[in-house]
Amino acid sequence: MFSEKKLSAKQLSTLQDIHTKSLFSVHRELRFFLYIGILMIVAGTGLTIKQYFTNLGDITIISAMTFCFAASFIYCFIKGAAYARQEVNSPNIAFDYILFFGCAFFSMDIAYIETQFNLLGDFWDNYLLVSSALFLFLAYRFDNRLVLSLALSTIAAWFGFTLSGHRFSFEQYYREYAIAYSLIVLLIGGLLYRLHIKKHFYDIYLNFAAHFLCIALISGVAQYKIFSLYFPGLLLASVALVYYSVKIRKFLYMLYAVIYGYIGISIVIVDQIHGETIFIFSYFILTSMLVIGLIFGISRKFKENE
Amino acid sequence: MNFSLYSSQQEENIFIRKQAKTWLRSGLITPDQLGVITDATDPNLRQTNLFFRILFFIFTLLCTGTLVGLFAWLISKGGNTDEMFLAAILIFFSAIYYMAAEYMVSVRRFYRYGIEEALALVAMELFCAGCGWLLSKYGLSNKEITIAVLALVTITASWIYLRFGYLYAALISLIAACFIPFQLSLPPTGERVLLLIILCLIFFLNVIYDKPEIEDFRKERNTTIQADLLIAIYLTVNLHLLSVAGIFLGRASSINLYLKLFPPYIYWLSYILTFMIPALGIYWGIKSRKRLILNASLVLACLTLATNKSYLGLTRYAWDPAILGIMLIGISIIISRWLKRGQDGNRYGFTESNILKPESHGISLSDVAAAFTPNFIDAQQPPSQPGKYFDGGSSGGGGASRDF
């Protein structure tokens, strides 16, 4: 390419350096260890407080955590770049993680205060709303995806859910809240996307919304089978995800749509078959072949490696 | 000897295309230049994207597995419950699926499409299960059958790796081989030493085969296998890893490590090796610029630090993870600053700059990990103390009290 003048000398030199590993970036490794380091500190602090809170005393714990998150936030406001609607690069490699560290310590601090002093009584969960509002602000102010994830999961906590695998509770009450949560998240994300504010955050909103919505709808289908609005709701959500994934060519959403949609439809069909083994086997053979055929058809419309 | 269904040129072209896409993402080349590279490196193979591949894989597994289930059910319903016959059916289906996988590659030119991958893997599973069933009819003990099946998995998975090039097949083969010494009724030291000899042998053979003149795609594959082997060697050597796993799972007290079964010289030799393996790995990774080796060795070094107190019999404290975290952050920042202050932002060819951007799928693992933080914080809250200052109080803060 260089001899045909399709590649500049500078490009050739850079690519050769990268290919021969004369230039070797350790950016991802450093970021990985910074992130793991922050998670270890959060874990270690949490465990220490849990085990030694009577020895340490409330004042020591609260003042230490307040100092940590305040110092982190002050550092970020001093060092951070000015706000912009577009994607902003971090001033240094540790910046994103310092902000995340501050947010995690803020959470721990107010969680501790509320657990020990019960200041808000029955309205304790409003702390979560305040925390998530603060995290949303910080995520947008400093263009931080980790803090946005934290904010969205804190909003989910305010709605009453933890992303815990210990127990999946799909009673009516939680299901409706999950649907409401996903629609609100989708609405906020969509609105901010339309306003051209940090458009690159939209995928995070969409991922949260898609999982909460589809899991809630599947739980409804599992309980009521075909006789409810959950089944058409799930089909509609799956079709919407397929349409969106094809439109913007992000096939992660296709994966969600097909998996969740197939689970929902299978629950309904297997229920209708009434335990006839041969029909159940035939159903899975035929439908899996059908899905393979459909996906094959869709995939051929796009460039092979798209 | 090359057993692969794909030619070296085809694989190398795919590797170059993958590299070129990373260069485009990182702004090192223009879309037009990518077009030129793409035109010049046509592998004449059918490929698909990662998510379609996953879907093809899942639904092919479902289809092939259910088909075998249906046949077995129909035959047993017809009154034929002879285990030999059922085992023969499994082997028959494995042959059909394997031929289908070969057909998909050699005739339909599929490359990492998901369909042929699932077919090959199901063929392997059915073959090994069928053979295991057949062996049980010849009066072999359960242990002998287990050893034979593990050996079969090792051989067939290796064959799939050599034939189709799936790295996970090599990993399956390695894992199956690692289980064999533990089935031989050897003393604990003998089991570990035998496994270590096997792993070191494979490792050195791979390193010898990994010559500088071989194609780039082969170098990359060899590096992955070497990193896997390095991890396997370390896991064999470290006698305290289960105790660390127990701490994280909250079951530290229920895990018996049987450490008294190891002679003191083996115990202390393993302690020394837990430091030596990561150190040598880091040195080798830096020297040869093998990213995976370097990353694996760094993770192993963290594991060594995590198990150090257990080896020395020192008391573990709740703040130990925090100290390790502070250490990791400190080292990362020092290295980052040191590299940044070098000439043109690099030293000895190492740079802190993000020169090659990874592919983005909208959400990353770190975003997912961040989403789980409120749950962790909620779980770590100490119990409230009624009457300490005010009455009552039993709520979470950063987390919540209900489960979804």
Side-chain angles (χ1 to χ4, degrees):
Chain A
M1 280 176 74
F2 178 65
S3 56
E4 293 168 15
K5 293 189 177 174
K6 286 176 182 167
L7 198 69
S8 70
K10 196 186 169 200
Q11 277 182 313
L12 179 72
S13 156
T14 310
L15 294 179
Q16 270 178 340
D17 282 348
I18 292 170
H19 182 69
T20 57
K21 293 177 181 169
S22 308
L23 189 61
F24 190 86
S25 169
V26 285
H27 183 84
R28 269 183 276 169
E29 285 75 13
L30 291 171
R31 283 185 78 97
F32 173 75
F33 282 103
L34 280 168
Y35 191 37
I36 293 290
I38 295 289
L39 291 178
M40 298 283 259
I41 291 175
V42 172
T45 311
L47 290 168
T48 307
I49 292 171
K50 196 177 184 181
Q51 281 187 28
Y52 300 100
F53 74 105
T54 46
N55 307 43
L56 293 169
D58 294 334
I59 294 171
T60 316
I61 293 171
I62 294 166
S63 51
M65 284 198 290
T66 307
F67 173 76
C68 285
F69 82 71
S72 307
F73 290 165
I74 290 166
Y75 172 84
C76 291
F77 275 100
I78 292 170
K79 283 273 179 183
Y83 171 77
R85 286 185 165 206
Q86 296 78 30
E87 195 166 356
V88 178
N89 287 330
S90 306
N92 60 55
I93 197 164
F95 186 84
D96 287 349
Y97 303 105
I98 291 170
L99 185 64
F100 178 70
F101 168 82
C103 292
F105 267 68
F106 176 81
S107 280
M108 278 204 285
D109 200 10
I110 57 164
Y112 185 82
I113 292 170
E114 181 52 29
T115 313
Q116 297 303 312
F117 301 102
N118 194 29
L119 295 178
L120 288 187
D122 290 341
F123 302 103
W124 66 268
D125 49 358
N126 288 331
Y127 273 124
L128 298 169
L129 204 59
V130 174
S131 302
S132 52
L134 175 72
F135 298 159
L136 268 179
F137 164 73
L138 292 170
Y140 275 84
R141 171 62 186 83
F142 297 111
D143 203 323
N144 192 313
R145 298 168 64 95
L146 298 177
V147 176
L148 180 65
S149 275
L150 191 62
L152 293 180
S153 60
T154 309
I155 297 175
W158 183 74
F159 270 88
F161 312 107
T162 54
L163 298 173
S164 154
H166 298 305
R167 184 166 63 89
F168 277 79
S169 214
F170 287 117
E171 290 143 29
Q172 186 76 20
Y173 175 79
Y174 301 118
R175 199 178 294 137
E176 285 168 5
Y177 272 83
I179 293 169
Y181 167 78
S182 51
L183 294 177
I184 288 170
V185 165
L186 195 62
L187 203 72
I188 297 171
L191 189 71
L192 292 167
Y193 183 83
R194 288 258 166 189
L195 293 170
H196 299 281
I197 300 171
K198 305 282 180 197
K199 286 173 88 172
H200 55 285
F201 279 172
Y202 187 55
D203 276 316
I204 295 181
Y205 284 97
L206 206 52
N207 270 281
F208 269 84
H211 287 300
F212 269 88
L213 183 65
C214 291
I215 292 174
L217 290 172
I218 283 179
S219 80
V221 174
Q223 189 174 349
Y224 299 107
K225 311 294 184 294
I226 201 164
F227 307 106
S228 71
L229 285 174
Y230 292 114
F231 185 61
L234 181 65
L235 292 183
L236 195 70
S238 299
V239 170
L241 278 171
V242 169
Y243 174 76
Y244 180 74
S245 77
V246 170
K247 194 180 164 199
I248 62 153
R249 308 208 166 188
K250 278 193 175 171
F251 298 104
L252 174 65
Y253 301 109
M254 177 83 76
L255 182 75
Y256 296 161
V258 175
I259 301 281
Y260 284 128
Y262 189 78
I263 292 171
I265 292 169
S266 298
I267 290 169
V268 168
I269 302 279
V270 169
D271 178 61
Q272 295 298 314
I273 290 170
H274 299 299
E276 280 289 332
T277 314
I278 191 154
F279 290 129
I280 292 174
F281 274 123
S282 309
Y283 164 76
F284 282 111
I285 293 166
L286 292 173
T287 50
S288 50
M289 284 167 76
L290 184 74
V291 172
I292 291 170
L294 281 173
I295 300 166
F296 196 75
I298 294 171
S299 70
R300 288 187 74 175
K301 288 184 181 168
F302 304 99
K303 278 187 197 170
E304 288 194 327
N305 264 325
E306 205 168 347
Chain B
M1 223 181 322
N2 188 8
F3 297 105
S4 179
L5 283 165
Y6 306 105
S7 71
S8 296
Q9 192 57 55
Q10 283 177 318
E11 300 240 39
E12 190 66 359
N13 283 350
I14 288 166
F15 182 83
I16 294 167
R17 281 181 166 200
K18 205 172 130 193
Q19 294 273 83
K21 276 184 191 163
T22 311
W23 296 339
L24 177 74
R25 264 200 310 275
S26 314
L28 299 170
I29 57 171
T30 62
D32 291 340
Q33 288 169 329
L34 175 73
V36 175
I37 296 172
T38 308
D39 291 343
T41 54
D42 183 11
N44 191 27
L45 289 170
R46 277 179 165 180
Q47 289 175 272
T48 191
N49 72 57
L50 174 68
F51 303 109
F52 286 140
R53 182 181 170 191
I54 294 171
L55 284 173
F56 283 133
F57 186 85
I58 292 170
F59 284 97
T60 309
L61 271 187
L62 184 66
C63 182
T64 49
T66 328
L67 197 60
V68 177
L70 176 65
F71 260 81
W73 180 77
L74 284 174
I75 287 162
S76 60
K77 205 172 178 245
N80 193 343
T81 51
D82 182 14
E83 285 187 0
M84 290 286 271
F85 189 65
L86 288 172
I89 284 181
L90 292 188
I91 294 170
F92 170 75
F93 268 101
S94 84
I96 299 279
Y97 289 158
Y98 182 77
M99 283 191 286
E102 288 242 354
Y103 170 82
M104 290 290 184
V105 174
S106 47
V107 179
R108 307 291 295 180
R109 297 177 291 111
F110 279 12
Y111 183 86
R112 309 292 190 269
Y113 219 90
I115 298 173
E116 83 288 8
E117 294 175 74
L119 284 168
L121 281 191
V122 172
M124 182 192 82
E125 286 164 18
L126 292 178
F127 180 73
C128 296
C131 288
W133 222 340
L134 279 179
L135 286 171
S136 67
K137 297 299 267 181
Y138 289 100
L140 295 178
S141 67
N142 280 344
K143 197 165 255 184
E144 287 166 334
I145 294 169
T146 310
I147 294 167
V149 171
L150 285 171
L152 265 177
V153 173
T154 307
I155 295 164
T156 48
S158 296
W159 173 253
I160 286 172
Y161 167 65
L162 292 171
R163 192 81 175 138
F164 296 88
Y166 308 142
L167 276 166
Y168 52 79
L171 191 62
I172 292 170
S173 170
L174 180 67
I175 292 169
C178 286
F179 278 105
I180 294 174
F182 294 100
Q183 309 298 323
L184 300 175
S185 306
L186 296 169
T189 310
E191 286 171 350
R192 300 239 177 188
V193 170
L194 179 63
L195 182 56
L196 198 61
I197 291 169
I198 295 170
L199 291 173
C200 288
L201 200 69
I202 306 170
F203 184 78
F204 288 118
L205 281 174
N206 193 284
V207 171
I208 291 165
Y209 172 73
D210 193 18
K211 291 171 187 155
E213 63 269 17
I214 61 171
E215 299 94 334
D216 288 328
F217 81 91
R218 277 192 214 283
K219 276 184 200 159
E220 197 186 54
R221 270 186 205 169
N222 285 337
T223 305
T224 311
I225 292 171
Q226 285 159 13
D228 290 342
L229 284 162
L230 197 69
I231 293 167
I233 289 169
Y234 181 86
L235 296 179
T236 311
V237 162
N238 194 325
L239 305 176
H240 274 284
L241 268 181
L242 278 179
S243 66
V244 175
I247 289 165
F248 279 100
L249 296 171
R251 284 184 228 144
S253 55
S254 63
I255 293 174
N256 193 346
L257 301 170
Y258 302 104
L259 293 171
K260 286 180 181 166
L261 298 173
F262 294 96
Y265 69 92
I266 290 286
Y267 183 83
W268 292 112
L269 183 67
S270 95
Y271 178 62
I272 295 165
L273 285 173
T274 56
F275 282 89
M276 277 180 66
I277 294 168
L280 288 172
I282 291 168
Y283 173 73
W284 183 36
I286 289 172
K287 198 173 170 238
S288 60
R289 315 254 161 146
K290 291 186 174 184
R291 188 178 297 281
L292 265 178
I293 301 283
L294 179 65
N295 292 356
S297 305
L298 288 168
V299 172
L300 296 181
C302 290
L303 286 177
T304 297
L305 293 176
T307 53
N308 184 44
K309 272 195 165 181
S310 303
Y311 262 106
L312 298 174
L314 302 174
T315 313
R316 287 186 172 278
Y317 296 106
W319 53 82
D320 285 347
I323 292 172
L324 183 60
I326 291 167
M327 227 170 75
L328 287 176
I329 292 170
I331 292 169
S332 304
I333 290 174
I334 289 168
I335 293 174
S336 166
R337 290 194 167 183
W338 180 70
L339 291 175
K340 221 172 179 178
R341 283 181 192 152
Q343 200 181 0
D344 298 329
N346 73 70
R347 284 181 197 260
Y348 309 108
F350 288 93
T351 177
E352 173 257 13
S353 312
N354 189 14
I355 46 175
L356 292 176
K357 290 193 173 60
E359 195 172 358
S360 167
H361 298 298
I363 192 160
S364 65
L365 274 179
S366 52
D367 300 332
V368 177
F372 280 88
T373 311
N375 185 51
F376 174 79
I377 290 169
D378 181 48
Q380 297 307 321
Q381 286 313 305
S384 64
Q385 293 175 295
K388 189 169 66 170
Y389 300 104
F390 312 103
D391 282 331
S394 58
S395 54
S401 59
R402 287 176 230 144
D403 284 329
F404 178 51

